[in-house]
Amino acid sequence: MDKKVIALLNQQVNKEFFSAYLYLSFANYFENRGLSGFANWYLIQAQEERDHAMLFVKFLQNNDESLIYEAIEKPASTWENEMEVLKAGLAHEKFITDSINKIYATALDLKDFRTTQFLDWFIKEQGEEETNANELIQQAELIGKSGNGLYMLDQKLALRVYAAPSLVL
Ligand code: FEO
């Protein structure tokens, strides 16, 4: 594999672990506000991000490439209100989409089709991640300042259960 692609994949491991850390911070924010359904939703999101990180790890290992676990940046922990957290989630997913697109474009330039094929799953996954983040914002906008609505959305988000990724390496 080309060194450029390896470096980007290695950086992506860190970005996925950071995503997990960021969502743990979101979960903590909501837990402290008595919104344990939102907290549950982001705890599961964090589990998914760890899975994403490990898929990149496994892909590098399967290709006999070494990787290094770099330091994980400290995530934000304070926001003005719930909506700000949800918007930070969408902005972060867009950042991750850009990052994966960049790896894809680099691999394609280098005719590294094994990597582009591996990334196909993530391209689709990022579409779903952005849709989920966007829907949460739309639902919160509909609720506005209604305490009842917030409580009902929290009850709904409490139902989310963890599912292992459909991609197995
Ligand atoms: Fe690993 Fe939320 O994308």
Side-chain angles (χ1 to χ4, degrees):
M1 286 173 77
D2 189 276
K3 283 189 171 54
K4 257 192 280 180
V5 175
I6 297 166
L8 290 172
L9 289 169
N10 203 144
Q11 286 163 25
Q12 195 62 33
V13 170
N14 188 273
K15 287 175 184 171
E16 299 291 345
F17 276 123
F18 173 76
S19 303
Y21 217 31
L22 178 66
Y23 291 139
L24 287 176
S25 191
F26 283 12
N28 190 44
Y29 173 91
F30 285 115
E31 196 61 56
N32 288 338
R33 273 152 193 77
L35 292 166
S36 57
F38 279 86
N40 170 65
W41 202 91
Y42 282 112
L43 282 176
I44 290 170
Q45 193 64 25
Q47 275 180 283
E48 281 196 0
E49 299 300 354
R50 181 198 176 274
D51 290 338
H52 293 170
M54 293 314 293
L55 285 167
F56 281 96
V57 168
K58 191 89 177 118
F59 180 70
L60 283 164
Q61 288 173 343
N62 284 354
N63 284 286
D64 251 343
E65 301 294 353
S66 59
L67 81 134
I68 293 167
Y69 289 108
E70 300 287 354
I72 302 170
E73 194 189 325
K74 181 180 177 180
S77 58
T78 53
W79 295 274
E80 283 296 311
N81 49 47
E82 288 88 3
M83 183 59 90
E84 221 185 68
V85 182
L86 304 184
K87 287 187 174 171
L90 178 60
H92 182 69
E93 286 304 333
K94 287 184 173 175
F95 163 74
I96 294 294
T97 299
D98 283 347
S99 178
I100 286 171
N101 286 349
K102 188 177 168 202
I103 310 173
Y104 197 103
T106 307
L108 197 58
D109 268 357
L110 294 162
K111 296 192 168 43
D112 177 352
F113 303 121
R114 195 182 301 167
T115 297
T116 58
Q117 195 209 28
F118 163 69
L119 290 175
D120 279 340
W121 185 86
F122 283 94
I123 299 284
K124 185 163 175 277
E125 174 73 8
Q126 281 312 117
E128 289 169 15
E129 295 277 71
E130 286 188 31
T131 300
N132 290 340
N134 218 358
E135 276 179 9
L136 275 183
I137 292 171
Q138 287 170 332
Q139 288 166 10
E141 273 169 355
L142 282 174
I143 286 166
K145 294 198 186 316
S146 154
N148 266 355
L150 190 63
Y151 177 76
M152 281 170 68
L153 181 55
D154 191 64
Q155 297 287 101
K156 189 186 122 186
L157 297 178
L159 300 176
R160 184 180 184 187
V161 290
Y162 169 73
S166 57
L167 179 63
V168 179
L169 296 182

